[in-house]
Amino acid sequence: MRKSRLLLLVVVGLTMAGCSTIKQSKPAAASTSSTSQKESTASSQASSSQSKPLFVGEVFSTEKADPNIPYKMANKHVKFYRSLKEIGAKDGVFSDYFEEKGETFGITKVVTATKGIYYHVVKYTVNETSGFEGKGKPEGLGYVKTTDLKRVSLIKSEWAYAKKKAYYVADPNSHRIWNRPAYTAPFTYITHVFDRLTTQQLYATKELITSKGKHYVYLETAKGRQLGWVYKARHTLIAGKYRDPGKQLLKLKKHEKMVTRIQSKKSTGNRVGVNDSLSLRQRVYIVRNKHHQIARILIISMDNRPTKIYFRNGLATKVKTYTYRRKPWKVTTNKKKLRTVYWAQHGDDYMNVDAIRSKFYTMKSKKLVKVSTVANDGYVHILIYRDGHVKFHTEVIEHNITYSINDYK
């Protein structure tokens, strides 16, 4: 009887232990089931997200377009979207009407979709340093509705001359030579500067008028080297055959002789300034009388404006400064200034137009006069000795942006 009771207790105990094991394993099984369900749901959501249709609908075709055809914005509600996927989304707007007001655009491709036609556009630009950085790419603005842009014309008319028109340089600082007039092509940039062209004969072969009424001429050298487009301004170009300033402004008298001194290319530093013609080679024309005394000096400084100084018995008697078109501008016979320092400058525009400073030395000095040109990007001076010796110097202001003349010859 006792044995039967013991056997019964053992069987009952084993049975209860088995039940306990089963109950403890159920939560683990439930957890595994829950994780699988979540993974399945996430996978389903990701798949749904990937297959979410575009706001523009199905894309039927994408075609390339010519960005050289200009467009402007057609209304004040224009929005440029970063990508097709982001069209219609507030956070997908790259730019809008108010940010791009007045700008010109080019189309690089046309996208045809279920809900309309869209353009991928670029903005007509020049680089940050006003065209000196050379070739580049226009700024992309993303996608826009076709109804938000309208085609325009930036060139009113363009024509070639039946016969070339002769020009030479007046002011080398005010305008540069471009591949196309600025902002009339997807990317416009400077191809040449006038620093080394001031003594050359140039020719215009064609002309255009922009939609804003500005005239540009296309220049080439006497040897036919193509240069590019420059704004047609009287203070920049002089119409006609090139005239050497020494022969034009220094009328030699009987028994007078003239010598010319030209700054070396090495001395200029061979740099191009954004505001000034740092690589312009300065010149000095020295006229001596029959007694071998210096009678007149004509100086062509960095900005290409002539300065003529008259002397008698080793002392300055008059300074005549000319305009860029070689017309008399400022004249002084003030003895005090002609024994010390004389400035020729635009008092109301001294930041944009170079100033010319003439310093005179006493009869005891071997030096006769030092003519300096003070500009934004640098300064130059010409030191002339009583024996006719000449020293040229060009100094670029530290930290100013300059470029190699080799890229703009």
Side-chain angles (χ1 to χ4, degrees):
M1 183 71 177
R2 186 177 295 176
K3 287 182 180 179
S4 299
R5 185 176 291 180
L6 287 171
L7 181 60
L8 180 61
L9 288 172
V10 170
V11 172
V12 171
L14 289 171
T15 303
M16 291 179 67
C19 290
S20 175
T21 302
I22 293 171
K23 286 180 180 179
Q24 288 176 358
S25 66
K26 280 184 178 180
S31 175
T32 302
S33 176
S34 175
T35 301
S36 297
Q37 187 175 359
K38 286 181 180 179
E39 289 177 352
S40 176
T41 303
S43 176
S44 175
Q45 288 176 346
S47 176
S48 175
S49 176
Q50 289 176 359
S51 61
K52 183 179 179 180
L54 295 174
F55 178 85
V56 300
E58 182 182 354
V59 175
F60 297 123
S61 66
T62 300
E63 299 177 0
K64 290 184 178 180
D66 183 4
N68 290 294
I69 299 174
Y71 287 78
K72 294 280 189 180
M73 289 184 286
N75 57 72
K76 295 183 179 181
H77 307 290
V78 179
K79 288 183 174 60
F80 299 91
Y81 293 91
R82 278 186 290 266
S83 67
L84 284 173
K85 292 180 179 180
E86 295 176 284
I87 290 178
K90 289 184 179 180
D91 57 356
V93 176
F94 179 74
S95 191
D96 59 22
Y97 171 84
F98 297 100
E99 290 184 31
E100 309 300 336
K101 188 177 180 181
E103 300 291 350
T104 305
F105 312 94
I107 300 170
T108 59
K109 57 185 176 182
V110 181
V111 178
T112 304
T114 307
K115 296 183 180 180
I117 302 174
Y118 296 83
Y119 293 146
H120 182 271
V121 299
V122 292
K123 181 164 65 174
Y124 278 34
T125 58
V126 298
N127 50 62
E128 293 180 358
T129 50
S130 304
F132 277 94
E133 296 291 345
K135 294 181 180 180
K137 293 182 178 180
E139 179 185 347
L141 287 179
Y143 293 84
V144 66
K145 296 178 182 178
T146 57
T147 52
D148 285 339
L149 296 183
K150 60 181 179 180
R151 186 170 174 176
V152 296
S153 177
L154 302 178
I155 306 300
K156 188 176 181 180
S157 59
E158 182 175 340
W159 66 97
Y161 298 143
K163 185 179 179 180
K164 297 178 182 180
K165 295 184 179 181
Y167 287 98
Y168 60 99
V169 179
D171 179 1
N173 297 339
S174 56
H175 293 289
R176 316 294 180 172
I177 303 173
W178 294 73
N179 66 318
R180 286 290 289 177
Y183 296 101
T184 62
F187 194 87
T188 48
Y189 56 93
I190 291 171
T191 56
H192 299 280
V193 295
F194 289 117
D195 296 39
R196 297 286 171 82
L197 297 172
T198 56
T199 60
Q200 291 191 38
Q201 180 66 60
L202 304 176
Y203 290 94
T205 59
K206 51 188 175 181
E207 186 171 344
L208 65 76
I209 305 174
T210 68
S211 57
K212 295 182 178 180
K214 293 184 177 181
H215 286 246
Y216 283 80
V217 292
Y218 189 87
L219 295 179
E220 64 177 37
T221 65
K223 294 182 179 180
R225 183 165 66 96
Q226 306 296 300
L227 297 175
W229 295 92
V230 64
Y231 180 60
K232 188 180 180 182
R234 292 187 72 256
H235 60 275
T236 299
L237 296 174
I238 301 174
K241 293 289 185 178
Y242 172 76
R243 292 186 291 174
D244 181 89
K247 295 180 180 179
Q248 179 186 358
L249 302 176
L250 292 172
K251 306 296 184 182
L252 293 183
K253 299 176 182 178
K254 192 175 181 180
H255 305 301
E256 286 186 334
K257 293 184 179 180
M258 183 173 69
V259 294
T260 304
R261 299 286 183 263
I262 303 175
Q263 184 178 16
S264 68
K265 293 180 180 179
K266 183 178 180 180
S267 176
T268 66
N270 297 316
R271 303 300 294 176
V272 169
V274 174
N275 304 292
D276 305 294
S277 300
L278 298 175
S279 285
L280 189 149
R281 299 171 68 188
Q282 302 176 96
R283 285 163 289 155
V284 174
Y285 301 83
I286 301 175
V287 177
R288 292 182 181 275
N289 59 26
K290 61 182 179 180
H291 303 295
H292 201 62
Q293 295 176 328
I294 293 178
R296 296 184 302 285
I297 293 176
L298 182 69
I299 293 167
I300 308 298
S301 191
M302 181 176 68
D303 68 342
N304 205 41
R305 276 186 299 179
T307 297
K308 184 163 61 175
I309 307 176
Y310 298 76
F311 293 90
R312 182 182 296 123
N313 298 322
L315 293 175
T317 58
K318 181 166 65 172
V319 175
K320 182 182 287 187
T321 309
Y322 294 81
T323 66
Y324 292 110
R325 297 185 64 83
R326 301 181 185 177
K327 303 295 182 183
W329 171 44
K330 288 181 178 292
V331 179
T332 186
T333 55
N334 186 299
K335 288 186 178 181
K336 182 179 180 180
K337 292 179 180 179
L338 296 176
R339 299 295 179 270
T340 53
V341 174
Y342 171 66
W343 283 89
Q345 61 185 339
H346 289 269
D348 58 343
D349 199 19
Y350 63 93
M351 289 299 291
N352 297 316
V353 183
D354 298 347
I356 301 173
R357 177 181 183 269
S358 300
K359 178 182 179 181
F360 301 93
Y361 297 90
T362 65
M363 290 290 291
K364 295 179 180 179
S365 175
K366 294 181 179 181
K367 301 173 183 177
L368 181 63
V369 62
K370 180 180 179 181
V371 179
S372 304
T373 300
V374 183
N376 284 301
D377 295 334
Y379 61 89
V380 298
H381 66 248
I382 302 172
L383 180 58
I384 304 170
Y385 292 81
R386 294 185 181 277
D387 63 2
H389 182 63
V390 177
K391 285 186 177 180
F392 298 97
H393 179 74
T394 297
E395 185 74 25
V396 179
I397 296 175
E398 191 176 3
H399 304 308
N400 272 4
I401 298 174
T402 60
Y403 304 91
S404 172
I405 186 64
N406 294 325
D407 298 329
Y408 303 96
K409 284 182 179 179

